[in-house]
Amino acid sequence: MKRNFFNEVEILSRKQITQLQLKRLKDQIDYLSYNSPYYRKIFKGQGIAPDIIRSLHDLNRLPFIHKHMIGKSQAQHPPFGKFLCVPESKIVRFFRTSGTTLKPRNFAYTFHDWWNISVEVMARITYSLGARDRDRVFIAFPYITFVSLWSSHYACEKIGCMVIP
């Protein structure tokens, strides 16, 4: 199946892109406030709501979440911490960081998260780099629970490449 990975967002004006980014940022804050116990607590404590975000410069008002915070939440509430925005029964993919610098962190994906966001974005990136359905791609990594190379594998398949694991 041939697939065109061109996206109408790629031809928007800078003003239209900024408006879209601002809308998506507000939508994401709203979604996290409603669905994530972790973010709901942080946002409430810092007075953050979608209506206080008026421009992309307001990104500076949002708290920075780092791997130590993720690790602490996961240690207190295994295996995913208080970050999940859906019931665990909706999780279809589980990945971990390598644990090179800290204890490995767990990450969960719903079907939509995995196929329509992670794999789709990687397919668009891979396609923009020149990969096409006539190509053969050798995936030179061990098949472990590390997310980036799995999304590359499935992105190449989505494009139609022959994937050689």
Side-chain angles (χ1 to χ4, degrees):
M1 161 183 84
K2 283 205 172 225
R3 170 94 196 275
N4 180 359
F5 286 90
F6 177 76
N7 189 311
E8 59 278 351
V9 172
E10 295 165 355
I11 61 170
L12 294 177
S13 69
R14 170 50 53 200
K15 183 177 179 179
Q16 291 170 314
I17 290 171
T18 300
Q19 290 170 341
L20 180 61
Q21 289 171 329
L22 184 59
K23 179 191 179 321
R24 287 181 176 175
L25 176 61
K26 289 179 174 192
D27 289 350
Q28 188 67 23
I29 291 170
D30 189 48
Y31 180 82
L32 290 171
S33 296
Y34 185 76
N35 293 290
S36 169
Y38 192 89
Y39 284 100
R40 183 174 29 253
K41 181 179 178 185
I42 287 178
F43 289 169
K44 187 176 180 182
Q46 295 187 14
I48 296 169
D51 59 332
I52 69 158
I53 304 297
R54 293 189 177 89
S55 78
L56 293 180
H57 295 290
D58 290 328
L59 270 171
N60 294 327
R61 298 176 76 176
L62 300 179
F64 186 78
I65 306 300
H66 54 79
K67 60 186 174 182
H68 298 287
M69 297 164 82
I70 295 169
K72 183 177 178 183
S73 181
Q74 288 182 358
Q76 292 172 345
H77 308 280
F80 301 112
K82 292 275 189 175
F83 287 91
L84 285 185
C85 294
V86 297
E88 222 174 292
S89 62
K90 297 289 185 189
I91 303 302
V92 299
R93 293 276 172 171
F94 169 87
F95 291 105
R96 298 188 93 182
T97 61
S98 64
T100 304
T101 59
L102 291 171
K103 183 177 178 185
R105 303 294 183 251
N106 302 322
F107 292 91
Y109 291 77
T110 65
F111 185 87
H112 173 77
D113 294 336
W114 178 245
W115 290 108
N116 298 354
I117 299 173
S118 186
V119 172
E120 179 67 20
V121 167
M122 187 60 80
R124 288 181 59 209
I125 291 167
T126 305
Y127 190 86
S128 75
L129 293 171
R132 297 297 183 269
D133 59 356
R134 65 186 173 275
D135 293 323
R136 288 166 176 78
V137 178
F138 175 62
I139 305 289
F141 78 98
Y143 279 67
I144 57 174
T145 57
F146 186 65
V147 66
S148 295
L149 297 169
W150 277 103
S151 58
S152 296
H153 173 114
Y154 287 109
C156 289
E157 286 184 349
K158 190 169 191 167
I159 291 169
C161 302
M162 178 194 296
V163 176
I164 306 163

